[in-house]
């Protein structure tokens, strides 16, 4: 009765308890001298129990699979077998002997063909299969290919189809990882068809074939062959592989000692040295485009590649190229996504820099921000910023992070003549990057000493460019070698540009600050002068006014001549004007120092306006005054002296800026909670561009100059301040050449009836 290990059991792979306990199956292998001899045999001896587990594995058997025989103990034999051979291995005829060749997997992943002589034994009521094996991998591989070549029957065809399907499956398993896929392809074609394989792909510029994966069945050779073959990029069109890539046609050299014309003898000699004999080189083709090559070789003893081998490898190469195409697409998509993520990150970093620069006003503050944020964003170990001195002769250190203290004195000031990356960046106006310490010392041997202290392994120096002007340089250092990709370079250039712009802003800011403080100082001096001068002038003018009034009275009493009297009156008038002027200047200095105070009381604004108009009418007799005032009192809380001053200013302006003969209309009314007073004239009006400014002190509209009206531009400023102190406001409407209307609004003490 044929016995099979049940499928369920073989899948469970659990280690039976008796093996798990670490017990050797002494009931199978004797412990005596015979047992020792068995242990030393070079035959691949193994015993499988009736459930399919290893009950014994000889050291030689373990060696062939690269495994410790102890490790095999209790493992299901099926797990080591090639999937296609498992079914065969389970066909165990008991009793009786059988012979079969099965593929076992080596610990390095490759397959070993082992020819097994099997027999069954029964010990203590248990059935075992004893296997004595021989490693026939080499012979079997050769035979397999020969069989494939010789038999043109349906069997060979279906086998090769089966192997192709196997290849597709093997490639699909690692289809998302390009480098794993390339390794898998090299390993797979080697296992199936040869001893050594080199897979090459075109470089981006299409000029070179770069090694992408190397595999050799004998692990001892792998390192050597890898170092020799992998290091060599092959130029397209040169050498055997280069020719295959260029022509897109496969090349088969059954015996290298008999090479085709034009072959690279040196190369063939090299292959010979590594024990490679027959060669097959096929193109990797994706969508009719050659993307690389597969180089496959067999080692001695010579087993020449056949035409069938070539076709088979070409078929596998087609599938491999397809898989490479998809893996590349996937990698490209992933790279694009990562690039987008990195770009977003860089943008965020630049925004952080911009935000931080908002707080930086001086060049040093700007440099601190750029160094700090630049070091953080690039993952640098040190960073510094230098500014070019005004005479352009030296670079001065403005800010730094991460340098040892002992380098400071040397680095605080660097002459631009010194040969260094910084100066090269400044001279060329371009970003300078160095990716390894060797490159740094080769290009700037002078820096060897400093490099020994800092340990800088990669550096970047960027000029701070503002249009064509170089303002300084930015320096970033890394303690390990580093490659600067296009994004790093763009980031450094942008950072340097941001720094240069911020420098310029800080310079303008400093200039503006200085101009502002100069202006503020000038204003302060002017105010101080006005205040002192008006106080100094006030006393003599008051005395002058007193004496002139006295003189006028006496002259009138003593019957002085009309001419003398007129002269005295002129002196009197001018002295009064001076008093008023000084009064205004004093008001200004009081306003500036916050000392203009009101002495408010309840008053009837209507009565005050009426009185003022009556006083003005005889003085300005060439004007017609129209006065519209409500009958009932308009009560406000105000300083009558200051309000008189306001009205006086407005009336006087109305007369000064109007040709004689005009009408001046004064209207008082209540509106909401306010008293409103309008003074309208028919004068020269105010140009629209001057309107927003006429309440500023010392401001005079150009129209007043063109009409030759003298003045200082103080009156309306004082009016606005006094009205504001009353809690009111003043507005103006004016049409040039037609007249102006000034309206004052003051809060009423009682609601309108
Ligand atoms: P000043 O009259 O001494 O120059 P003000 O402060 O009283 O100073 O007035 C400021 C400016 O406003 C005047 O120079 C003048 O240009 C303009 N202005 C004031 N009142 C009138 C008005 N009623 N008509 C036309 N322009 C006026």
């Amino acid at each position: 009765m044929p016995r099979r290990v049940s499928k369920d059991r073989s899948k469970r792979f659990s280690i039976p308890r008796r093996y798990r306990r670490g017990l050797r199956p002494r009931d199978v292998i004797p412990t005596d001298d015979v047992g020792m001899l068995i242990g030393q045999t070079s035959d691949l001896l193994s015993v499988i129990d009736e459930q399919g587990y290893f009950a014994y594995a000889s050291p030689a058997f373990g060696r062939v699979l690269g495994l410790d025989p102890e490790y095999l103990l209790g493992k299901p034999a099926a797990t080591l077998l090639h999937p296609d051979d498992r079914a065969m291995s389970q066909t165990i005829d008991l009793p009786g002997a059988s012979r079969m060749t099965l593929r076992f997997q080596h610990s390095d992943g490759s397959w070993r063909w082992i020819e097994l002589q099997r027999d069954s034994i029964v010990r203590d009521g248990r059935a075992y299969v004893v296997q004595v094996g021989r490693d026939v991998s080499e012979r079997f591989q050769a035979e397999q290919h020969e069989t494939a070549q010789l038999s043109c029957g349906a069997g060979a065809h279906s086998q090769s189809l089966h192997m192709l399907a196997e290849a597709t499956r093997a490639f699909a398993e690692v289809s998302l990882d390009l480098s794993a896929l390339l390794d898998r392809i090299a390993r797979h074609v080697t296992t199936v068809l040869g001893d050594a394989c080199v897979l090459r792909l075109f470089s981006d510029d299409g000029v070179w074939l770069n090694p992408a994966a190397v595999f050799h069945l004998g692990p001892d050779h792998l390192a050597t062959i890898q170092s020799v073959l992998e290091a060599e990029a092959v130029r397209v069109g040169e050498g055997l592989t280069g020719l295959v890539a260029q022509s897109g046609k496969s090349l088969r050299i059954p015996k290298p000692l008999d090479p085709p014309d034009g072959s690279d003898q040196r190369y063939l000699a090299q292959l010979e040295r590594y024990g490679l004999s027959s060669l097959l080189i096929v193109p990797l083709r994706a969508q009719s485009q050659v993307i690389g090559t597969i180089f496959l070789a067999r080692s001695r003893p010579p087993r020449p590649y056949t035409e069938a081998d070539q076709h088979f490898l070409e078929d596998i190469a087609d599938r491999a190229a397809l898989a490479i195409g998809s893996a590349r697409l996937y990698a490209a998509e992933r790279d694009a996504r990562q690039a987008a993520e990195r770009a977003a990150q860089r943008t965020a970093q630049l925004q952080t820099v911009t935000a931080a620069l908002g707080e930086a006003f001086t060049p040093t503050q700007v440099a601190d921000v750029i160094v700090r944020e630049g070091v953080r964003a690039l993952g640098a170990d040190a960073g510094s910023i230098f500014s070019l001195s005004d005479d352009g002769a030296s670079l001065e250190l403005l800010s730094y992070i991460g340098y040892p203290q002992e380098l400071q004195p040397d680095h605080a000031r660097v002459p631009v003549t010194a040969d260094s990356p910084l100066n090269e960046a400044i001279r060329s106006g371009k970003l300078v990057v160095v990716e390894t310490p060797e490159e740094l010392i080769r290009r700037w041997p002078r820096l060897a000493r400093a490099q020994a202290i800092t340990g800088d392994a990669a550096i970047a120096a960027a000029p701070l460019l503002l249009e064509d002007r170089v303002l300084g340089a930015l320096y970033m250092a890394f303690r390990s070698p580093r490659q600067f990709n296009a994004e790093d370079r763009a980031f450094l250039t942008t950072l340097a540009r941001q720094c240069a712009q911020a420098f310029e802003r800080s310079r303008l800011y400093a200039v503006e600050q200085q101009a502002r403080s100069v202006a503020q100082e000038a204003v302060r001096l002017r105010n101080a002068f006005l205040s002192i001068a008006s106080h100094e002038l006030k006393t003599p003018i008051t005395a002058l006014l007193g004496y002139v009034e006295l003189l006028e009275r006496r002259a009138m009493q003593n019957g002085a001549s009309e001419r003398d009297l007129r002269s005295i009156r002129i002196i009197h008038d001018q002295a009064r004007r001076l008093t008023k002027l000084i009064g205004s200047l004093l008001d200004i200095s009081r306003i500036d120092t916050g000392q203009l105070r009101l002495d408010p009381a309840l008053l009837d604004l209507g009565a005050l306006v009426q009185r003022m108009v009556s006083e003005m009418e005889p003085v300005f007799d060439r004007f017609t005054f129209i006065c519209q005032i409500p009958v009932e009192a308009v009560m406000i809380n105000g300083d009558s002296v200051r309000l008189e001053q306001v009205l006086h200013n407005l009336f006087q302006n109305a007369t000064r800026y109007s040709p004689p003969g005009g009408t001046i209309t004064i209207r008082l009314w209540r509106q909401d909670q306010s008293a409103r007073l309008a003074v309208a004239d028919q004068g020269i009006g105010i140009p629209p561009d001057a309107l927003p400014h006429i309440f500023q002190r010392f401001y005079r509209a150009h129209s007043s100059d063109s009409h030759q009206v003298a003045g200082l531009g103080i009156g309306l400023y004082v009016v606005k301040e006094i009205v504001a102190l009353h809690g009111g406001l003043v507005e103006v409407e004016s049409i040039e050449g037609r007249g102006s209307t000034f309206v004052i609004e003051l809060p009423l003490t009682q609601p309108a009836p």
Side-chain angles (χ1 to χ4, degrees):
M1 259 282 280
R3 289 186 51 178
R4 282 167 187 270
V5 174
S6 90
K7 211 171 175 192
D8 281 343
R9 267 176 206 275
S10 73
K11 274 206 156 173
R12 220 170 44 222
F13 293 151
S14 62
I15 299 173
R17 215 176 319 132
R18 64 178 185 281
Y19 302 130
R20 240 187 290 146
R21 282 202 310 270
L23 293 176
R24 284 185 62 92
R26 292 172 203 284
D27 46 350
V28 181
I29 299 297
T31 50
D32 56 12
D33 294 348
V34 180
M36 263 183 60
L37 272 178
I38 292 175
Q40 283 166 6
T41 178
S42 62
D43 280 339
L44 314 180
L45 190 64
S46 57
V47 179
I48 312 287
D49 71 10
E50 59 186 333
Q51 287 161 338
Y53 298 106
F54 276 106
Y56 175 75
S58 70
F61 186 75
R63 250 193 320 278
V64 163
L65 300 184
L67 296 166
D68 181 353
E70 288 284 330
Y71 164 83
L72 288 173
L73 211 60
K75 289 272 177 325
T79 52
L80 285 183
L81 282 173
H82 192 284
D84 295 347
D85 294 352
R86 284 180 194 159
M88 204 197 323
S89 94
Q90 286 162 17
T91 318
I92 302 170
D93 282 326
L94 287 177
S98 65
R99 180 192 284 270
M100 59 181 67
T101 303
L102 298 176
R103 279 167 290 178
F104 285 81
Q105 190 154 36
H106 189 273
S107 62
D108 69 5
S110 62
W111 295 104
R112 290 283 183 277
W113 275 259
I114 298 183
E115 189 185 76
L116 295 170
Q117 172 76 47
R118 295 175 140 198
D119 219 334
S120 56
I121 54 166
V122 177
R123 292 291 290 263
D124 301 335
R126 291 178 193 274
Y128 295 91
V129 174
V130 177
Q131 310 184 129
V132 182
R134 224 157 34 96
D135 182 4
V136 291
S137 302
E138 255 186 34
R139 198 200 71 212
F140 202 82
Q141 277 171 347
E143 272 173 11
Q144 245 197 356
H145 296 316
E146 271 152 33
T147 318
Q149 180 196 3
L150 289 173
S151 72
C152 318
H157 181 67
S158 87
Q159 188 188 9
S160 101
L161 277 184
H162 174 76
M163 285 169 85
L164 280 177
E166 171 90 340
T168 311
R169 188 189 57 76
F171 301 160
E173 271 175 13
V174 282
S175 63
L176 296 186
D177 180 344
L178 184 60
S179 83
L181 172 69
L182 297 170
D183 280 343
R184 175 66 63 96
I185 294 169
R187 174 187 285 259
H188 190 89
V189 294
T190 313
T191 316
V192 175
L193 218 53
D195 294 303
C197 168
V198 180
L199 196 152
R200 291 174 187 276
L201 293 175
F202 271 107
S203 61
D204 289 342
D205 57 10
V207 177
W208 297 96
L209 282 163
N210 294 327
V214 177
F215 190 74
H216 192 280
L217 267 189
D220 302 345
H221 290 322
L222 186 60
T224 332
I225 199 168
Q226 236 162 0
S227 64
V228 173
L229 295 179
E230 218 173 356
E232 276 182 32
V234 171
R235 188 181 266 279
V236 175
E238 283 178 13
L240 300 178
T241 310
L243 285 172
V244 169
Q246 193 176 46
S247 65
K249 289 203 180 76
S250 304
L251 191 72
R252 183 164 58 90
I253 306 178
K255 292 188 195 125
L257 298 176
D258 181 19
D261 290 345
S263 309
D264 182 344
Q265 295 297 334
R266 197 176 52 88
Y267 186 58
L268 291 177
Q270 205 177 46
L271 298 179
E272 183 69 13
R273 197 164 60 241
Y274 292 107
L276 302 175
S277 57
S278 192
L279 300 187
L280 250 188
I281 310 173
V282 301
L284 277 164
R285 213 188 303 263
Q287 287 162 342
S288 72
Q289 275 249 314
V290 179
I291 60 165
T293 52
I294 295 182
F295 165 103
L296 196 60
R298 269 186 184 149
S299 53
R300 281 164 298 196
R303 276 177 290 122
Y305 277 119
T306 62
E307 211 177 319
D309 290 335
Q310 181 182 328
H311 293 321
F312 183 60
L313 184 61
E314 282 168 351
D315 281 349
I316 290 194
D318 286 348
R319 281 159 173 75
L322 208 68
I324 292 173
S326 324
R328 275 180 163 173
L329 269 184
Y330 180 78
E333 189 265 345
R334 191 194 51 211
D335 288 353
R337 202 176 51 238
Q338 284 172 352
E341 279 164 11
R342 279 198 303 275
Q345 197 187 354
R346 286 284 192 237
T347 311
Q349 283 163 342
L350 284 173
Q351 276 166 355
T352 313
V353 177
T354 311
L357 281 176
E359 303 287 308
F361 299 107
T362 65
T364 311
Q365 287 169 340
V366 167
D368 285 346
V369 166
I370 297 282
V371 169
R372 188 184 67 225
E373 299 298 331
V375 162
R376 186 185 302 165
L378 288 161
D381 297 292
S384 49
I385 286 197
F386 294 80
S387 71
L388 195 60
S389 60
D390 290 340
D391 59 5
S394 60
L395 285 170
E396 282 152 30
L397 182 64
L398 273 188
S399 176
Y400 72 93
I401 291 179
Y403 284 111
Q405 204 57 40
E406 60 259 45
L407 282 182
Q408 287 320 302
D410 282 7
H411 281 228
R413 204 182 183 93
V414 189
V416 284
T417 46
D419 197 18
S420 72
L422 270 178
N423 286 329
E424 186 173 322
I426 285 187
R427 260 196 310 277
S428 65
K430 296 207 171 75
L431 176 71
V432 174
V433 295
V434 178
E435 300 186 332
T436 62
E438 295 75 30
E439 188 189 351
L440 183 72
I441 294 169
R442 185 172 47 73
R443 285 171 71 179
W444 292 281
R446 204 181 61 84
L447 296 184
R449 193 186 70 88
Q451 196 280 335
I453 302 174
T454 59
D456 288 350
I459 60 105
L464 306 179
L465 285 174
L466 191 75
E467 287 155 7
D468 290 342
R469 253 176 337 121
V470 182
L471 307 184
L474 159 77
Y475 193 80
M476 290 281 150
F478 305 82
R479 303 279 188 254
S480 359
R482 164 185 181 121
Q483 289 196 331
F484 295 90
N485 60 25
E487 283 160 34
D488 292 335
R489 288 164 197 252
F491 180 73
L492 277 158
T493 310
T494 312
L495 196 66
R497 198 177 319 123
Q498 257 192 332
C499 184
Q501 285 166 357
F503 266 1
E504 183 62 1
R505 268 201 308 278
S506 72
R507 193 186 63 80
L508 291 176
Y509 179 78
V511 169
E512 192 241 27
Q513 282 291 96
Q514 202 183 355
R516 186 192 292 262
S517 69
V518 167
Q520 278 169 346
E521 181 59 11
V523 167
R524 197 189 62 75
L525 284 174
R526 185 197 63 191
N527 289 348
F529 169 77
L530 283 178
S531 165
I532 295 165
S534 21
H535 274 105
E536 289 300 312
L537 285 170
K538 200 176 170 205
T539 322
I541 290 290
T542 312
L544 176 68
L545 199 62
Y547 281 113
V548 89
E549 279 170 0
L550 185 70
L551 193 62
E552 191 180 358
R553 264 201 312 277
R554 280 202 194 144
M556 282 185 357
Q557 282 166 6
N558 298 343
S561 72
E562 195 50 39
R563 226 175 97 210
D564 287 349
L565 265 176
R566 206 168 50 245
S567 303
I568 290 170
R569 280 192 189 118
I570 289 172
I571 296 173
H572 193 180
D573 279 356
Q574 295 302 329
R576 267 209 304 268
R577 275 192 63 198
L578 268 177
T579 313
K580 271 182 59 188
L581 204 60
I582 288 164
S584 296
L585 288 175
L586 274 171
D587 283 346
I588 285 200
S589 93
R590 283 193 192 104
I591 291 167
D592 281 346
T593 53
Q595 284 170 354
L596 183 70
R597 304 248 160 72
L598 297 183
D599 185 11
L602 197 61
L603 60 89
D604 176 3
L605 187 60
L608 186 124
V609 171
Q610 187 64 68
R611 179 162 54 78
M612 288 291 294
V613 172
S614 319
E615 280 174 22
M616 299 292 281
E617 264 180 323
V619 182
F620 302 104
D621 52 359
R622 285 186 294 174
F623 289 89
T624 309
F625 283 83
I626 298 175
C627 200
Q628 298 170 344
I629 291 172
V631 185
E632 54 291 349
V634 179
M635 299 306 291
I636 62 159
N637 204 17
D639 181 330
S640 59
V641 177
R642 289 294 179 188
L643 288 174
E644 271 179 32
Q645 189 181 350
V646 166
L647 292 179
H648 196 269
N649 263 318
L650 293 181
F651 293 165
Q652 215 171 29
N653 278 352
T655 56
R656 285 162 69 219
Y657 296 105
S658 300
T663 301
I664 294 167
T665 310
I666 296 123
R667 196 160 80 85
L668 178 68
W669 75 101
R670 290 193 186 89
Q671 188 171 319
D672 303 328
Q673 304 298 311
S674 305
R676 292 173 77 90
L677 174 74
V679 180
D681 63 51
Q682 298 172 323
I684 60 174
I686 301 165
D689 60 329
L691 272 176
H693 308 290
I694 57 165
F695 293 103
Q696 291 166 8
R697 63 182 168 185
F698 303 119
Y699 182 84
R700 307 204 67 223
H702 46 85
S703 52
S704 40
D705 290 333
S706 58
H707 285 79
Q708 295 186 337
V709 184
L712 279 180
I714 299 174
L716 287 180
Y717 173 65
V718 176
V719 164
K720 185 190 77 179
E721 292 297 323
I722 293 174
V723 170
L725 281 174
H726 278 87
L729 50 91
V730 54
E731 288 167 348
V732 62
E733 277 179 14
S734 182
I735 297 173
E736 218 180 345
R738 299 268 292 275
S740 314
T741 303
F742 286 85
V743 179
I744 286 175
E745 188 182 315
L746 292 167
L748 285 166
T749 50
Q750 66 215 29

